[in-house]
Amino acid sequence: GDDDNVGTVEFVTTSELDNPARPAFGGTLRDMLLFVNDNQATYARGGAERPQPMAMVFDEAGYGVRELAATWNLPLMKKPIAIEGGRLEASVLADGVERIGIKGTAGVKRGLTFGRGSDGSSVTDVAMYGYTDGIALWMTSGVNTVQNSFIGMADDGTKVENRLGLVLSSPRAVNNLIGGSDFDEKGGNQFTANRAAGVFIVNSATGNRVYGNHIEDNGDGLRIKNATANYIGAATAAGIETGASNTIV
């Protein structure tokens, strides 16, 4: 029969370390991302098996993760995943931490990366920094959301450089939402200390909405190349605008 109570399958990261060689499963972010790619829970509806929503969380009791290491390129995501970086263990929240940190290092070319098949993913309450030779957050899929995240800054406000902050690239990168109604409300992101650009829209990416963000102290705050019909600074107006919805310094 049909299942009318569809829940979300949650994957919990319990280690701050990285294991690119993966000699064994260690509960790292890399392990969990690969596990999402390799598995898919389903539910029955309308006589058909449908994929069940999946989420990445960080709130397992007794595992106070707060800054995850990315010592090599993170896996290319091939399935939708909601990364809920504000879902932290109680002792971490008690210390005033509001978002999980995912820290890169020199030589890493990409942090969180969403490719074909990952459409409909979300990144919320995440800090991406330290990708001095690469891209902190890269999306070549569509209908994704990035909100309340720091790109180029740790959760405590310390600026830590990326080469590129967020890149929307390819004709499949369509109708993504970057930000929200206002930076001071739930939704807006902070882009800072990104050496080349805070936000880069390129290679025929289209229909993307970038508003309600604070973009400061980057090489280029916002760069668009060979990409048309994106919405910048307003939720509904067509084309490229210089509205006040984004603060670009």
Side-chain angles (χ1 to χ4, degrees):
D2 286 357
D3 185 352
D4 293 325
N5 298 302
V6 178
T8 298
V9 178
E10 295 184 345
F11 299 84
V12 188
T13 297
T14 57
S15 172
E16 293 184 336
L17 303 177
D18 194 10
N19 55 344
R22 302 191 77 231
F25 185 87
T28 67
L29 175 64
R30 183 179 304 277
D31 286 333
M32 294 303 171
L33 293 174
L34 289 169
F35 200 72
V36 168
N37 276 341
D38 292 341
N39 295 273
Q40 180 65 70
T42 61
Y43 68 96
R45 177 165 292 171
E49 292 293 316
R50 303 176 185 273
Q52 193 165 350
M54 297 186 287
M56 185 81 64
V57 298
F58 310 89
D59 58 358
E60 184 74 12
Y63 294 89
V65 298
R66 60 186 69 197
E67 183 181 77
L68 312 178
T71 60
W72 191 241
N73 301 334
L74 289 175
L76 174 69
M77 296 311 298
K78 301 175 183 178
K79 292 181 180 175
I81 180 72
I83 298 181
E84 301 179 4
R87 290 274 305 275
L88 297 166
E89 200 258 354
S91 66
V92 178
L93 291 171
D95 287 342
V97 178
E98 297 182 355
R99 51 186 62 78
I100 193 72
I102 305 177
K103 183 179 181 181
T105 189
V108 177
K109 299 300 182 183
R110 63 171 194 257
L112 289 175
T113 309
F114 297 84
R116 186 189 295 270
S118 68
D119 307 78
S121 294
S122 62
V123 176
T124 309
D125 298 305
V126 173
M128 302 287 300
Y129 49 92
Y131 300 85
T132 53
D133 296 321
I135 301 168
L137 181 55
W138 191 357
M139 292 180 166
T140 61
S141 59
V143 203
N144 303 306
T145 302
V146 180
Q147 293 187 318
N148 202 40
S149 292
F150 288 177
I151 312 298
M153 179 184 289
D155 180 72
D156 65 2
T158 302
K159 295 180 180 180
V160 185
E161 184 181 275
N162 300 312
R163 184 175 72 85
L164 282 161
L166 168 68
V167 174
L168 303 176
S169 172
S170 97
R172 296 188 304 274
V174 299
N175 301 329
N176 294 293
L177 170 61
I178 312 302
S181 58
D182 193 273
F183 178 66
D184 293 327
E185 302 294 334
K186 187 75 173 178
N189 304 291
Q190 172 88 32
F191 294 92
T192 191
N194 298 289
R195 190 171 71 251
V199 179
F200 187 23
I201 304 176
V202 65
N203 294 341
S204 301
T206 189
N208 299 291
R209 294 167 290 159
V210 181
Y211 56 93
N213 303 290
H214 190 85
I215 304 173
E216 177 181 6
D217 213 10
N218 303 280
D220 289 335
L222 173 67
R223 183 190 301 174
I224 300 176
K225 181 179 180 181
N226 299 328
T228 60
N230 293 285
Y231 300 79
I232 310 299
T236 57
I240 298 174
E241 298 198 350
T242 56
S245 296
N246 292 299
T247 300
I248 302 177
V249 180

